[in-house]
Amino acid sequence: MGAMCYFKYWLSFLDFAMTERSLRVAAAQMGPIEKGDSKSAVVDRLITLLSLASEDNVDLIVYPELTLTTFFPRWFVENENDLELESFFEANMPSPETEPLFLKAKQLGVGFCLGYAELTEEGERYNTQILVDNVGNIVGKYRKVHLPGHEEHEPWRKFQHLERRYFQAGDSFPTWRAFGGIVGMAICNDRRWSETYRSLALGGAELILIGYNTPIHYAPDPSQDKLASFHSRLVMQSGAYQNGCYVVGVAKGGMEEGVESLSDSCIISPSGEILAEAKTDGDELVIADIDLDICKNYKETLFDFARYRRPEAYKAITNQTGAISPKEL
């Protein structure tokens, strides 16, 4: 009888082990990249972090927004066909400079997520992020939807933020089946908008990967500078909790070309709790073990969309942009 009970317990354990969708993820925070740094030198740094992640049995490593270069939208370039500006973009992926990263990742069997500036065959420019599986295949591509900043030179600023000049906006939040679950991506300013997380969660997302470059000084309202870290974590933690998703937020931070940028890379659980976080402003791995089945604890209870969402009451969200105040009596 005892042996039979043990056998049943072992079968139950095996059943659990077979259904558990565990994953070891790493946020590969980057320190500053100077304007004169070559892409090949940056890729060497990425490969170093990749190799360290592999040694720690990481399944998926996430790099920041515009990983391969300094954050070039901080400078105004009048001619959009300027050769220096074009040098920041990738016409192909993998490119000659990034091919070693793809090869090393395939050799080690580690997947990765990479942000870069994309130039299409039609001449369109996007702030882009790709998801690459553990055999080196690109399985997903996302183009930043919420472009911050401005379009024209504003000399009153300490530095420019010209994403709206150099990039076109993406138009959707796709998700993909990868790494044993459903994965979505977002980039920097996207993380501040609740619609980002909800759109991804409506696509079934369980894991959201977010790269960012965030200057701590916000020229339109410097009173927010001291809240940069709080606000960054606030939106990612609330997005994770309200949508039953894991969130990986990864920065390129530190003092880059005289501009201080936020670090604070972290991995967040569907409860909204921070599982792991960066301790420095430089190149650093932030690693956590996650179980994608935990998402069900929130997706099938408090945030059971099919049961509780009321889209007929949310028409203003998709039918208008700016606020419409009630008329005065």
Side-chain angles (χ1 to χ4, degrees):
M1 186 70 175
M4 181 61 70
C5 288
Y6 176 81
F7 180 68
K8 289 182 178 179
Y9 168 81
W10 180 246
L11 287 178
S12 177
F13 172 80
L14 285 177
D15 183 60
F16 170 78
M18 290 173 65
T19 58
E20 184 183 28
R21 295 181 298 142
S22 60
L23 193 66
R24 177 163 280 198
V25 297
Q29 178 173 285
M30 297 289 291
I33 296 174
E34 301 306 318
K35 191 174 183 180
D37 292 346
S38 70
K39 290 178 183 177
S40 294
V42 174
V43 169
D44 286 343
R45 289 166 61 183
L46 303 184
I47 290 175
T48 296
L49 290 170
L50 175 70
S51 299
L52 291 172
S54 176
E55 292 173 7
D56 212 342
N57 298 313
V58 165
D59 301 295
L60 171 63
I61 183 171
V62 185
Y63 297 109
E65 174 192 28
L66 299 177
T67 308
L68 301 173
T69 69
T70 196
F71 188 71
F72 64 88
R74 68 170 61 97
W75 292 294
F76 174 76
V77 177
E78 187 169 3
N79 180 3
E80 294 185 28
N81 295 318
D82 181 271
L83 291 178
E84 183 180 30
L85 179 62
E86 287 193 1
S87 72
F88 293 115
F89 287 80
E90 305 299 317
N92 298 289
M93 189 59 66
S95 62
E97 292 89 353
T98 57
E99 181 70 24
L101 176 65
F102 279 76
L103 293 175
K104 189 65 173 179
K106 182 178 180 179
Q107 175 192 339
L108 297 175
V110 179
F112 66 90
C113 178
L114 179 72
Y116 66 98
E118 177 192 8
L119 177 64
T120 71
E121 291 183 2
E122 296 75 26
E124 298 170 326
R125 296 186 175 100
Y126 295 100
N127 189 337
T128 296
Q129 201 163 278
I130 54 171
L131 182 64
V132 180
D133 66 18
N134 62 1
V135 292
N137 297 318
I138 297 175
V139 295
K141 176 185 284 189
Y142 166 72
R143 291 164 171 167
K144 188 173 182 177
V145 168
H146 298 102
L147 295 178
H150 51 105
E151 295 88 350
E152 300 300 330
H153 186 42
E154 297 185 0
W156 59 268
R157 293 175 179 257
K158 292 181 179 179
F159 53 89
Q160 304 296 298
H161 198 128
L162 289 158
E163 287 190 60
R164 296 176 70 89
R165 181 179 184 86
Y166 300 142
F167 298 115
Q168 295 174 236
D171 59 7
S172 65
F173 291 99
T175 57
W176 300 270
R177 290 192 179 274
F179 300 97
I182 301 177
V183 183
M185 293 184 280
I187 300 175
C188 199
N189 189 43
D190 287 325
R191 76 191 191 280
R192 303 188 188 279
W193 297 84
S194 59
E195 292 90 342
T196 296
Y197 304 92
R198 186 52 48 89
S199 296
L200 289 168
L202 286 169
E206 300 164 304
L207 174 61
I208 299 174
L209 313 176
I210 305 175
Y212 59 90
N213 282 255
T214 300
I216 291 176
H217 174 61
Y218 181 55
D221 180 13
S223 71
Q224 297 182 33
D225 293 0
K226 65 181 182 295
L227 299 170
S229 177
F230 169 70
H231 285 159
S232 178
R233 294 188 176 195
L234 173 69
V235 291
M236 291 193 291
Q237 288 179 260
S238 60
Y241 167 64
Q242 292 172 343
N243 296 280
C245 297
Y246 286 94
V247 172
V248 179
V250 55
K252 178 155 68 64
M255 186 67 72
E256 182 181 274
E257 294 287 352
V259 177
E260 186 178 8
S261 290
L262 185 69
S263 296
D264 284 2
S265 300
C266 58
I267 299 172
I268 302 164
S269 77
S271 67
E273 297 170 287
I274 293 177
L275 301 177
E277 58 188 347
K279 306 299 183 186
T280 74
D281 290 327
D283 293 11
E284 180 183 354
L285 282 180
V286 178
I287 298 174
D289 291 305
I290 66 174
D291 177 3
L292 296 175
D293 284 331
I294 297 297
C295 298
K296 297 177 183 177
N297 293 2
Y298 296 87
K299 290 181 181 291
E300 296 180 0
T301 57
L302 276 172
F303 300 109
D304 183 340
F305 291 174
R307 181 179 178 88
Y308 296 121
R309 286 193 79 245
R310 295 285 308 281
E312 69 277 9
Y314 313 145
K315 293 177 182 177
I317 291 177
T318 56
N319 291 349
Q320 68 187 67
T321 51
I324 300 175
S325 302
K327 295 180 179 179
E328 292 185 9
L329 298 176

Short mmCIF file of all heavy atoms in Angstrom, two decimals, residues 263-301:
data_model
loop_
_atom_site.label_atom_id
_atom_site.label_comp_id
_atom_site.label_asym_id
_atom_site.label_seq_id
_atom_site.Cartn_x
_atom_site.Cartn_y
_atom_site.Cartn_z
N SER A 263 18.95 53.83 -14.91
CA SER A 263 19.27 52.40 -15.00
C SER A 263 18.07 51.62 -14.47
O SER A 263 17.06 51.55 -15.14
CB SER A 263 20.56 52.10 -14.23
OG SER A 263 21.64 52.78 -14.83
N ASP A 264 18.17 51.04 -13.28
CA ASP A 264 17.01 50.42 -12.61
C ASP A 264 16.39 49.27 -13.40
O ASP A 264 15.17 49.06 -13.34
CB ASP A 264 15.92 51.46 -12.32
CG ASP A 264 16.28 52.35 -11.14
OD1 ASP A 264 17.37 52.19 -10.59
OD2 ASP A 264 15.45 53.22 -10.79
N SER A 265 17.18 48.52 -14.15
CA SER A 265 16.64 47.34 -14.84
C SER A 265 16.05 46.38 -13.81
O SER A 265 16.60 46.23 -12.71
CB SER A 265 17.74 46.64 -15.63
OG SER A 265 18.29 47.51 -16.60
N CYS A 266 14.96 45.73 -14.16
CA CYS A 266 14.32 44.83 -13.19
C CYS A 266 13.44 43.81 -13.88
O CYS A 266 13.08 43.96 -15.05
CB CYS A 266 13.51 45.62 -12.17
SG CYS A 266 12.21 46.65 -12.88
N ILE A 267 13.13 42.76 -13.14
CA ILE A 267 12.22 41.71 -13.59
C ILE A 267 11.06 41.65 -12.60
O ILE A 267 11.28 41.57 -11.39
CB ILE A 267 12.95 40.35 -13.67
CG1 ILE A 267 14.11 40.45 -14.69
CG2 ILE A 267 11.97 39.24 -14.09
CD1 ILE A 267 15.01 39.23 -14.70
N ILE A 268 9.84 41.72 -13.12
CA ILE A 268 8.65 41.89 -12.30
C ILE A 268 7.70 40.71 -12.50
O ILE A 268 7.50 40.25 -13.63
CB ILE A 268 7.94 43.21 -12.68
CG1 ILE A 268 8.90 44.39 -12.49
CG2 ILE A 268 6.67 43.42 -11.85
CD1 ILE A 268 8.45 45.66 -13.19
N SER A 269 7.11 40.25 -11.42
CA SER A 269 6.20 39.11 -11.48
C SER A 269 4.77 39.57 -11.75
O SER A 269 4.46 40.77 -11.66
CB SER A 269 6.23 38.35 -10.15
OG SER A 269 5.48 39.05 -9.17
N PRO A 270 3.86 38.64 -12.08
CA PRO A 270 2.46 39.02 -12.31
C PRO A 270 1.78 39.60 -11.07
O PRO A 270 0.73 40.23 -11.20
CB PRO A 270 1.79 37.70 -12.72
CG PRO A 270 2.91 36.87 -13.25
CD PRO A 270 4.10 37.23 -12.43
N SER A 271 2.38 39.43 -9.91
CA SER A 271 1.84 40.04 -8.69
C SER A 271 2.19 41.52 -8.60
O SER A 271 1.68 42.24 -7.74
CB SER A 271 2.41 39.33 -7.45
OG SER A 271 3.81 39.57 -7.35
N GLY A 272 3.09 41.97 -9.48
CA GLY A 272 3.58 43.33 -9.42
C GLY A 272 4.84 43.47 -8.59
O GLY A 272 5.44 44.56 -8.54
N GLU A 273 5.29 42.40 -7.99
CA GLU A 273 6.50 42.44 -7.16
C GLU A 273 7.76 42.35 -8.03
O GLU A 273 7.77 41.67 -9.06
CB GLU A 273 6.49 41.27 -6.18
CG GLU A 273 5.34 41.31 -5.19
CD GLU A 273 5.22 40.02 -4.40
OE1 GLU A 273 4.80 39.01 -4.99
OE2 GLU A 273 5.58 40.04 -3.21
N ILE A 274 8.80 43.04 -7.58
CA ILE A 274 10.09 42.99 -8.27
C ILE A 274 10.85 41.75 -7.80
O ILE A 274 11.12 41.58 -6.60
CB ILE A 274 10.90 44.27 -8.01
CG1 ILE A 274 10.20 45.45 -8.68
CG2 ILE A 274 12.33 44.12 -8.54
CD1 ILE A 274 10.87 46.79 -8.44
N LEU A 275 11.20 40.88 -8.75
CA LEU A 275 11.90 39.63 -8.44
C LEU A 275 13.41 39.83 -8.39
O LEU A 275 14.10 39.16 -7.61
CB LEU A 275 11.56 38.57 -9.49
CG LEU A 275 10.10 38.20 -9.65
CD1 LEU A 275 9.93 37.19 -10.79
CD2 LEU A 275 9.54 37.62 -8.35
N ALA A 276 13.92 40.71 -9.23
CA ALA A 276 15.37 40.97 -9.28
C ALA A 276 15.57 42.35 -9.88
O ALA A 276 14.78 42.81 -10.70
CB ALA A 276 16.07 39.91 -10.12
N GLU A 277 16.65 43.02 -9.48
CA GLU A 277 16.89 44.38 -9.95
C GLU A 277 18.38 44.67 -10.04
O GLU A 277 19.20 44.04 -9.38
CB GLU A 277 16.23 45.39 -9.01
CG GLU A 277 16.71 45.30 -7.58
CD GLU A 277 15.91 46.17 -6.62
OE1 GLU A 277 15.13 47.02 -7.07
OE2 GLU A 277 16.06 45.96 -5.40
N ALA A 278 18.72 45.67 -10.89
CA ALA A 278 20.11 46.05 -11.09
C ALA A 278 20.64 46.78 -9.86
O ALA A 278 19.91 47.48 -9.16
CB ALA A 278 20.24 46.92 -12.33
N LYS A 279 21.95 46.64 -9.66
CA LYS A 279 22.61 47.30 -8.54
C LYS A 279 23.57 48.40 -9.00
O LYS A 279 24.09 49.14 -8.18
CB LYS A 279 23.40 46.26 -7.72
CG LYS A 279 22.58 45.07 -7.23
CD LYS A 279 21.45 45.48 -6.33
CE LYS A 279 20.69 44.25 -5.80
NZ LYS A 279 19.49 44.63 -5.02
N THR A 280 23.82 48.49 -10.30
CA THR A 280 24.79 49.43 -10.83
C THR A 280 24.19 50.24 -11.97
O THR A 280 23.04 50.04 -12.37
CB THR A 280 26.04 48.69 -11.36
OG1 THR A 280 25.71 48.04 -12.62
CG2 THR A 280 26.54 47.65 -10.38
N ASP A 281 25.00 51.13 -12.55
CA ASP A 281 24.62 51.88 -13.74
C ASP A 281 25.36 51.37 -14.98
O ASP A 281 25.31 52.01 -16.03
CB ASP A 281 24.93 53.37 -13.57
CG ASP A 281 24.02 54.04 -12.56
OD1 ASP A 281 22.85 53.64 -12.46
OD2 ASP A 281 24.49 54.97 -11.87
N GLY A 282 26.04 50.23 -14.87
CA GLY A 282 26.84 49.74 -15.97
C GLY A 282 26.33 48.43 -16.54
O GLY A 282 25.20 48.02 -16.28
N ASP A 283 27.18 47.77 -17.32
CA ASP A 283 26.85 46.47 -17.88
C ASP A 283 26.63 45.48 -16.73
O ASP A 283 27.51 45.29 -15.89
CB ASP A 283 27.98 45.96 -18.78
CG ASP A 283 28.16 46.79 -20.04
OD1 ASP A 283 27.57 47.89 -20.12
OD2 ASP A 283 28.89 46.35 -20.94
N GLU A 284 25.46 44.88 -16.71
CA GLU A 284 25.10 44.02 -15.57
C GLU A 284 23.99 43.06 -15.98
O GLU A 284 23.08 43.44 -16.72
CB GLU A 284 24.64 44.89 -14.40
CG GLU A 284 24.23 44.11 -13.17
CD GLU A 284 23.71 44.99 -12.03
OE1 GLU A 284 23.78 46.24 -12.16
OE2 GLU A 284 23.24 44.43 -11.03
N LEU A 285 24.06 41.85 -15.47
CA LEU A 285 22.98 40.88 -15.67
C LEU A 285 22.06 40.86 -14.46
O LEU A 285 22.52 40.78 -13.32
CB LEU A 285 23.55 39.48 -15.88
CG LEU A 285 24.14 39.13 -17.24
CD1 LEU A 285 24.65 37.70 -17.21
CD2 LEU A 285 23.13 39.32 -18.36
N VAL A 286 20.77 40.94 -14.73
CA VAL A 286 19.74 40.80 -13.70
C VAL A 286 18.96 39.54 -14.05
O VAL A 286 18.33 39.48 -15.11
CB VAL A 286 18.82 42.02 -13.65
CG1 VAL A 286 17.74 41.84 -12.61
CG2 VAL A 286 19.62 43.29 -13.40
N ILE A 287 19.01 38.54 -13.19
CA ILE A 287 18.49 37.20 -13.54
C ILE A 287 17.39 36.78 -12.58
O ILE A 287 17.46 37.03 -11.37
CB ILE A 287 19.63 36.16 -13.51
CG1 ILE A 287 20.70 36.51 -14.55
CG2 ILE A 287 19.10 34.75 -13.74
CD1 ILE A 287 21.93 35.63 -14.51
N ALA A 288 16.36 36.14 -13.13
CA ALA A 288 15.29 35.59 -12.30
C ALA A 288 14.72 34.34 -12.96
O ALA A 288 14.67 34.24 -14.20
CB ALA A 288 14.18 36.62 -12.09
N ASP A 289 14.28 33.41 -12.13
CA ASP A 289 13.54 32.24 -12.60
C ASP A 289 12.06 32.57 -12.55
O ASP A 289 11.55 33.04 -11.52
CB ASP A 289 13.84 31.03 -11.71
CG ASP A 289 15.26 30.53 -11.88
OD1 ASP A 289 15.64 30.24 -13.02
OD2 ASP A 289 15.99 30.47 -10.87
N ILE A 290 11.36 32.33 -13.64
CA ILE A 290 9.94 32.62 -13.68
C ILE A 290 9.17 31.36 -14.09
O ILE A 290 9.69 30.49 -14.77
CB ILE A 290 9.62 33.77 -14.66
CG1 ILE A 290 9.94 33.38 -16.10
CG2 ILE A 290 10.40 35.03 -14.27
CD1 ILE A 290 9.52 34.43 -17.12
N ASP A 291 7.93 31.29 -13.65
CA ASP A 291 7.03 30.19 -13.99
C ASP A 291 5.82 30.80 -14.68
O ASP A 291 5.00 31.45 -14.03
CB ASP A 291 6.63 29.42 -12.73
CG ASP A 291 5.64 28.30 -13.00
OD1 ASP A 291 5.29 28.07 -14.18
OD2 ASP A 291 5.21 27.65 -12.03
N LEU A 292 5.71 30.60 -15.98
CA LEU A 292 4.65 31.24 -16.74
C LEU A 292 3.25 30.79 -16.30
O LEU A 292 2.27 31.50 -16.54
CB LEU A 292 4.85 30.98 -18.23
CG LEU A 292 6.12 31.59 -18.83
CD1 LEU A 292 6.28 31.17 -20.29
CD2 LEU A 292 6.11 33.11 -18.72
N ASP A 293 3.15 29.64 -15.67
CA ASP A 293 1.84 29.18 -15.19
C ASP A 293 1.30 30.07 -14.08
O ASP A 293 0.08 30.08 -13.83
CB ASP A 293 1.92 27.73 -14.72
CG ASP A 293 1.97 26.75 -15.87
OD1 ASP A 293 1.42 27.07 -16.94
OD2 ASP A 293 2.56 25.67 -15.72
N ILE A 294 2.18 30.81 -13.39
CA ILE A 294 1.73 31.71 -12.34
C ILE A 294 0.82 32.80 -12.91
O ILE A 294 -0.03 33.35 -12.21
CB ILE A 294 2.94 32.36 -11.62
CG1 ILE A 294 3.77 31.28 -10.91
CG2 ILE A 294 2.50 33.42 -10.63
CD1 ILE A 294 3.04 30.54 -9.83
N CYS A 295 0.98 33.11 -14.19
CA CYS A 295 0.12 34.14 -14.81
C CYS A 295 -1.35 33.80 -14.66
O CYS A 295 -2.20 34.70 -14.54
CB CYS A 295 0.48 34.29 -16.28
SG CYS A 295 2.17 34.85 -16.60
N LYS A 296 -1.67 32.50 -14.65
CA LYS A 296 -3.07 32.07 -14.53
C LYS A 296 -3.68 32.52 -13.21
O LYS A 296 -4.91 32.70 -13.13
CB LYS A 296 -3.16 30.55 -14.65
CG LYS A 296 -2.72 29.99 -16.00
CD LYS A 296 -2.78 28.47 -16.01
CE LYS A 296 -2.26 27.90 -17.32
NZ LYS A 296 -2.25 26.41 -17.32
N ASN A 297 -2.85 32.66 -12.17
CA ASN A 297 -3.38 33.09 -10.87
C ASN A 297 -4.08 34.44 -10.97
O ASN A 297 -4.96 34.75 -10.16
CB ASN A 297 -2.25 33.20 -9.84
CG ASN A 297 -1.64 31.86 -9.50
OD1 ASN A 297 -2.02 30.84 -10.06
ND2 ASN A 297 -0.67 31.86 -8.60
N TYR A 298 -3.69 35.25 -11.94
CA TYR A 298 -4.28 36.57 -12.11
C TYR A 298 -5.18 36.63 -13.34
O TYR A 298 -6.25 37.26 -13.30
CB TYR A 298 -3.15 37.63 -12.22
CG TYR A 298 -2.37 37.69 -10.93
CD1 TYR A 298 -1.29 36.83 -10.71
CD2 TYR A 298 -2.75 38.55 -9.91
CE1 TYR A 298 -0.60 36.85 -9.51
CE2 TYR A 298 -2.06 38.58 -8.71
CZ TYR A 298 -0.99 37.73 -8.51
OH TYR A 298 -0.32 37.74 -7.31
N LYS A 299 -4.79 35.96 -14.42
CA LYS A 299 -5.58 35.98 -15.64
C LYS A 299 -6.90 35.23 -15.50
O LYS A 299 -7.84 35.47 -16.27
CB LYS A 299 -4.78 35.39 -16.81
CG LYS A 299 -3.61 36.25 -17.28
CD LYS A 299 -2.89 35.59 -18.44
CE LYS A 299 -1.71 36.41 -18.93
NZ LYS A 299 -2.12 37.67 -19.59
N GLU A 300 -6.98 34.30 -14.55
CA GLU A 300 -8.19 33.50 -14.39
C GLU A 300 -8.95 33.84 -13.12
O GLU A 300 -9.88 33.14 -12.74
CB GLU A 300 -7.83 32.01 -14.42
CG GLU A 300 -7.24 31.57 -15.77
CD GLU A 300 -6.88 30.10 -15.82
OE1 GLU A 300 -7.09 29.39 -14.80
OE2 GLU A 300 -6.40 29.64 -16.88
N THR A 301 -8.57 34.94 -12.44
CA THR A 301 -9.28 35.36 -11.22
C THR A 301 -9.65 36.84 -11.34
O THR A 301 -10.57 37.20 -12.07
CB THR A 301 -8.42 35.10 -9.96
OG1 THR A 301 -7.16 35.79 -10.09
CG2 THR A 301 -8.15 33.61 -9.79
#
